Each structure stands twice: as structure tokens, then as C-alpha cells.
Amino acid sequence: MPWSVAFMVVMIVMITAIAKTARHRNHHMLSGSQAAPQEVTHAQEEIRQLKERVQVLERVITENHHSLDLDREIARLRDR
């Protein structure tokens, strides 16, 4: 068996093992400990804010603004 094939097989096995370990760890962490309701609320609020920012950035990038409009939009985002 050529070395490159053996190397690829070893890498595939290692990646699979790492993925299974990570999946198991994440599942164990999620089922084993419940976050405080206050933390969940805070995390949900942060996610909502990040989604809003992504929407604004997508709009800024995809629309054809003149440079002045773009400067105003960036300044408005900084003020948040």
C-alpha cells in the first residue's frame, strides 16, 4: 500500500474519532448541565442583536450606495 493512501486512511480515522469525541462532549455538556434562565435570556438577546447586525451588513454590502450613504451607514452603526 503506498504511503499516501496509508496516510489518508490514518487521517480519515483520526478526523472521525475527533468528530465523534467532540459530538459526544457537546451532547454530554448540553444534557448534563442546564444554563440559568438569566444566561439563556442574555444569550438569546445577544443572538438577536448579532442577527440584526448581520442583516445591516448584508444590506450595506449588497446595495449600491454612494460613498456618502455608506459613510453615514457606518457612522450610524458605530454609534450603536
Side-chain angles (χ1 to χ4, degrees), residues 31-42:
S31 64
S33 64
Q34 294 294 327
Q38 198 174 36
E39 292 175 15
V40 172
T41 304
H42 178 70

Side-chain angles (χ1 to χ4, degrees), residues 48-60:
R48 186 190 61 76
Q49 290 175 354
L50 291 172
K51 285 182 178 181
E52 287 177 4
R53 287 183 179 194
V54 167
Q55 288 175 350
V56 170
L57 290 172
E58 287 174 345
R59 189 178 71 238
V60 168

Side-chain angles (χ1 to χ4, degrees), residues 49-61 65 69-80:
Q49 290 175 354
L50 291 172
K51 285 182 178 181
E52 287 177 4
R53 287 183 179 194
V54 167
Q55 288 175 350
V56 170
L57 290 172
E58 287 174 345
R59 189 178 71 238
V60 168
I61 290 170
H65 285 291
D69 291 337
L70 184 58
D71 290 341
R72 286 184 198 149
E73 187 75 14
I74 291 172
R76 188 176 65 80
L77 289 173
R78 282 188 194 142
D79 294 338
R80 281 189 167 184

Side-chain angles (χ1 to χ4, degrees), residues 4-5 7-8 11 13 17-19 24 32 35-36 59 67 79-80:
S4 61
V5 174
F7 179 74
M8 287 177 22
M11 292 303 292
V13 170
I18 291 170
H24 177 71
R59 189 178 71 238
S67 63
D79 294 338
R80 281 189 167 184

Side-chain angles (χ1 to χ4, degrees), residues 1-18:
M1 183 180 333
W3 288 104
S4 61
V5 174
F7 179 74
M8 287 177 22
V9 169
V10 169
M11 292 303 292
I12 290 170
V13 170
M14 285 178 52
I15 290 170
T16 304
I18 291 170

